[in-house]
Amino acid sequence: MIKLYSVRMPDLILVLKATIDIDSERRVLAAVSDMGLTGQLVRSAGNTVVVIQSDVSAIPTHLFSQMDGVAKVVRLTATHPLVLEADPAPVRVSSSSAETIFLGSGQKRHVIAGPCSVESREHILEVARAVKARGATMLRGGAFKPRTSPYEFGGLGEEALEYLAEAGKIAGLPVVSEVMSARQLEKSLDYIDVLQIGARNMYNYELLKEAGLSGKPVLLKRSMSATVDEFLHAAEYVLLTGNVNVILCERGIRSFEPRLRNTLDLSSVALIKSTTCLPVVVDPSHATGRRDLVRTMSRAAIAAGADGLLIEVHGQPDKSISDAEQAIAPDQLASIVDDVRALSEALNLVTEDGAGTSDMMSKLVASGSFKS
Ligand code: PEP
Ligand code: MN
């Protein structure tokens, strides 16, 4: 196994009970400190964990598990970070209105499709139905849009979340949408199934922790200027919260080439797939910025080992309020879904057909990196 990092990994993670009160949290931290250990509390709306970065090899696990308020004890026995786990389970995306989706680890390749921005209720309902009919298995759509200029359309916000949830429900598709702040994240929790952290926020470590602690699957996009190492460290922030449902997304990096919006780095996909356990999807829309290249680069991405695609689709692409140049029509999506199927068969890509588990403990224990 390649060791990418020199940072010190935690030796133990205590996952606290959801019902724990502040006094009990303080008692857990005091007990940890009385043992001569340093514990750091990481907290968000959904979850609280104590990360211990001291040598705990001589301390029996039951001394931690018996502490009042501790739900689970995760002991690190390997020297490599969480992103490098061997033999992982696929990421699991559940939603109330669609079948659970398993992504990565040799499962079927998924196509996540939808508009750049949710433009109206009718718009997202129409696109949702259209992409579902063409074989997409998840719906994307921006409610909160990161725009380079503050004078551009920034999304419909909370209103769009309601429309997205409704569209996902009617079409029977789990919903992916971007959040840019902890406040937006909290507002989104009741409406969306996968939290997207966009390229501009890949370095927002507090947001990454909040996303992890929410318990929702996280689709993390590579920043336009991030090295692979920085990208993986960002994923590590989410994994450290105990949330193992992380999907990486390669969306192109900024290069000296002016004719394309970004340069699609497919070697990063091959590299990440060969050295980590995490699923990687490719976004050929933002990577190229040109609808005429989306199909070709989708094919290339699947051939390079991507576990899925994230594609911008619009009923009338030229009329898209944002990113019109890269939006494709539903019928073009159908061709891409056909390509993905054909390539998966030709390259024998699907090796797992059973439903895996992504329960944190079983995944960590199965990896051999941890024992509970
Ligand atoms: C998006 O997917 O809507 C988006 C804004 O992409 P990125 O963060 O990759 O620029
Ligand atoms: Mn876009």
Side-chain angles (χ1 to χ4, degrees), residues 278-292:
L278 298 174
V280 184
V281 300
V282 167
D283 171 353
S285 310
H286 292 90
T288 61
R290 291 176 49 143
R291 77 171 62 106
D292 60 326

Side-chain angles (χ1 to χ4, degrees), residues 207-263:
L207 184 61
L208 293 173
K209 283 191 237 168
E210 296 284 339
L213 288 166
S214 75
K216 295 258 182 197
V218 176
L219 186 138
L220 174 63
K221 299 189 91 174
R222 181 181 182 182
S223 166
M224 51 282 264
S225 62
T227 62
V228 169
D229 208 30
E230 288 168 339
F231 190 21
L232 293 178
H233 274 96
E236 194 76 11
Y237 270 94
V238 182
L239 296 169
L240 264 175
T241 65
N243 184 343
V244 290
N245 282 319
V246 178
I247 304 160
L248 298 177
C249 178
E250 171 60 61
R251 45 79 74 205
I253 50 176
R254 188 167 281 176
S255 78
F256 49 78
E257 173 51 63
R259 293 181 65 178
L260 296 161
R261 184 170 181 180
N262 288 288
T263 294

Side-chain angles (χ1 to χ4, degrees), residues 74-122:
V74 183
R75 188 184 282 269
L76 181 70
T77 57
T79 52
H80 59 70
L82 304 177
V83 290
L84 299 188
E85 276 172 63
D87 191 25
V91 163
R92 177 198 206 106
V93 177
S94 358
S95 79
S96 54
S97 48
E99 266 181 37
T100 300
I101 282 174
F102 296 95
L103 210 137
S105 297
Q107 301 277 325
K108 167 183 178 292
R109 270 50 179 167
H110 289 277
V111 179
I112 308 165
C116 180
S117 321
V118 174
E119 298 175 7
S120 67
R121 177 174 174 268
E122 293 65 36

Side-chain angles (χ1 to χ4, degrees), residues 140 145-146 178 196 198-200 221 251 286 312:
R140 65 148 286 149
K145 294 303 300 175
E178 175 168 359
Q196 178 172 321
R200 290 154 191 81
K221 299 189 91 174
R251 45 79 74 205
H286 292 90
E312 288 191 345

Side-chain angles (χ1 to χ4, degrees), residues 290-353:
R290 291 176 49 143
R291 77 171 62 106
D292 60 326
L293 300 181
V294 168
R295 183 175 181 187
T296 307
M297 297 321 290
S298 296
R299 291 172 166 180
I302 295 296
D307 296 291
L309 301 167
L310 177 76
I311 301 181
E312 288 191 345
V313 178
H314 196 284
Q316 293 163 286
D318 282 328
K319 296 214 169 126
S320 298
I321 295 183
S322 51
D323 287 349
E325 316 72 35
Q326 68 198 36
I328 61 167
D331 283 343
Q332 293 169 291
L333 178 73
S335 312
I336 295 173
V337 170
D338 285 347
D339 289 344
V340 172
R341 267 196 215 114
L343 276 168
S344 297
E345 241 179 78
L347 301 175
N348 211 7
L349 296 178
V350 180
T351 52
E352 294 280 330
D353 49 9

